[in-house]
Amino acid sequence: MQEFEELKYVQSFIFFDGKSLIREFIDQTGCKISFGFMLKGKFIWKATGIEKFSIFSGEAIFIYEDIKISVKAGDNITIPDSVEFIVEVVSDLDYRCDYD
């Protein structure tokens, strides 16, 4: 079970015809955090700062700058600022993303 610090809810987003849901929060220090869920599929994103993903469940392949990284529950991956990246979800992906 994961424990989380006190967070303030900001807003939610639904992308890709409902196949991706993101809930955005602000932590006690004012940093943005999101919790997301992506169904199986291929999704193209643009990083809006350094994005640090922590995978809770599922499997995916992150692709950026000719780099392919497979992730699963318990893994972490950092996407550089202003990079277009692809997430190929192999099995439904539940994650947290911290932004720098």
Side-chain angles (χ1 to χ4, degrees):
M1 174 187 279
Q2 296 282 334
E3 290 188 31
F4 301 104
E5 64 271 15
E6 187 174 328
L7 302 174
K8 179 182 177 186
Y9 173 77
V10 177
Q11 58 190 337
S12 295
F13 302 95
I14 298 172
F15 296 101
F16 304 108
D17 296 323
K19 294 179 181 175
S20 177
L21 171 66
I22 298 173
R23 293 147 342 261
E24 187 177 296
F25 298 85
I26 300 293
D27 70 12
Q28 294 172 331
T29 65
C31 293
K32 182 172 102 171
I33 296 171
S34 66
F35 292 90
F37 187 83
M38 286 186 255
L39 296 174
K40 186 175 179 179
K42 182 177 180 178
F43 309 98
I44 300 172
W45 301 93
K46 175 82 173 197
T48 58
I50 297 171
E51 300 187 9
K52 299 175 183 178
F53 289 84
S54 300
I55 310 303
F56 297 138
S57 66
E59 293 181 48
I61 301 166
F62 283 71
I63 304 165
Y64 67 95
E65 297 179 337
D66 297 325
I67 298 169
K68 278 187 173 185
I69 301 173
S70 295
V71 298
K72 62 184 181 321
D75 290 344
N76 298 292
I77 182 171
T78 300
I79 303 296
D81 183 21
S82 302
V83 169
E84 182 175 280
F85 64 101
I86 298 169
V87 181
E88 291 183 2
V89 179
V90 177
S91 64
D92 297 349
L93 195 68
D94 193 14
Y95 64 91
R96 170 182 172 152
C97 187
D98 293 89
Y99 301 85
D100 284 339

